[in-house]
Amino acid sequence: MTSGALARVIRSAADRRPDAELCDLCGAEAPSGHRHLWDTVDEAVLCACRPCSLLFVEEEASEGRYRLVPRRRVRLPPVDTQGLGVPVGLAFFVRHADGTVGAHLPSPAGATRWEADPAAWHDVVSGCPQLATLASDVEALLVNTAHSAKEHWIAPVDDCFRMVAVVRREWRGLSGGSRVWPAVGQFFAELTEQPQ
């Protein structure tokens, strides 16, 4: 008969729901509404159970590798992003610790990325000073002006990548089909402001 640590691992694996998300650090079940970490090396969002997320409340905990993604969401007045050269109306912009700004466009293949012009980003921030409060790497300016939408948010990066997943899941054919834009609209309709 199996005993000790191995038995506990086997029992905990058997008790897990098949659809449960797991913590990417320790493998424990991550409950609904769990926090996320940003892996600055692999540039990926990771699921974190409560004990693991608490380890990263202080940024120094991982020597900069993992950053706890904040929950803050702020609806902004319209932000003029034309100077950033975004060819479509759905995008998000992440300021990095080194001062560069990554522009991300959702597509059926995931998020395409390029570096925004620093002077153009400075102009955007001058027009909307709240953007100066963006936490580097883990918060973004999230914009939807496609199909006459007027959505401008400070949002956590996990929200931004959830929006990318919506586009990937719903996109059909070359133009996106009839499902993608209603799904994007629903995504933004469900965003709610949330303080830090």
Side-chain angles (χ1 to χ4, degrees):
M1 176 175 234
T2 308
S3 64
L6 180 57
R8 285 192 301 277
V9 169
I10 292 169
R11 279 194 305 275
S12 68
D15 291 341
R16 284 192 189 126
R17 297 184 332 260
D19 61 339
E21 289 190 84
L22 302 179
C23 176
D24 287 311
L25 296 180
C26 73
E29 190 170 321
S32 175
H34 62 269
R35 301 292 301 268
H36 291 106
L37 300 174
W38 177 251
D39 182 336
T40 62
V41 174
D42 293 334
E43 296 187 339
V45 174
L46 305 175
C47 294
C49 65
R50 181 165 171 72
C52 286
S53 68
L54 290 174
L55 293 173
F56 299 99
V57 169
E58 299 297 327
E59 287 186 33
E60 298 80 18
S62 69
E63 298 179 354
R65 166 111 192 223
Y66 300 111
R67 301 268 318 276
L68 185 63
V69 176
R71 293 185 167 173
R72 176 174 78 138
R73 283 192 207 116
V74 179
R75 182 185 291 274
L76 299 171
V79 177
D80 183 6
T81 57
Q82 286 186 327
L84 295 172
V86 178
V88 296
L90 185 61
F92 63 96
F93 304 88
V94 179
R95 184 179 57 81
H96 301 291
D98 64 3
T100 61
V101 175
H104 303 259
L105 305 177
S107 77
T112 60
R113 177 182 162 184
W114 82 91
E115 195 171 303
D117 177 59
W121 177 254
H122 178 74
D123 291 343
V124 170
V125 174
S126 294
C128 182
Q130 285 178 286
L131 293 174
T133 68
L134 282 179
S136 63
D137 298 315
V138 292
E139 287 186 316
L141 166 61
L142 176 60
V143 176
N144 179 18
T145 57
H147 302 278
S148 302
K150 292 183 175 133
E151 299 281 354
H152 300 84
W153 291 81
I154 290 175
V157 293
D158 53 357
D159 277 353
C160 299
F161 285 105
R162 273 191 318 109
M163 187 260 306
V164 170
V166 167
V167 171
R168 287 188 72 181
R169 182 184 68 232
E170 301 297 339
W171 193 279
R172 301 291 182 272
L174 294 175
S175 65
S178 62
R179 294 172 26 176
V180 68
W181 295 112
V184 168
Q186 182 67 32
F187 170 85
F188 279 94
E190 292 172 358
L191 287 183
T192 55
E193 288 199 275
Q194 191 164 317
Q196 188 72 318

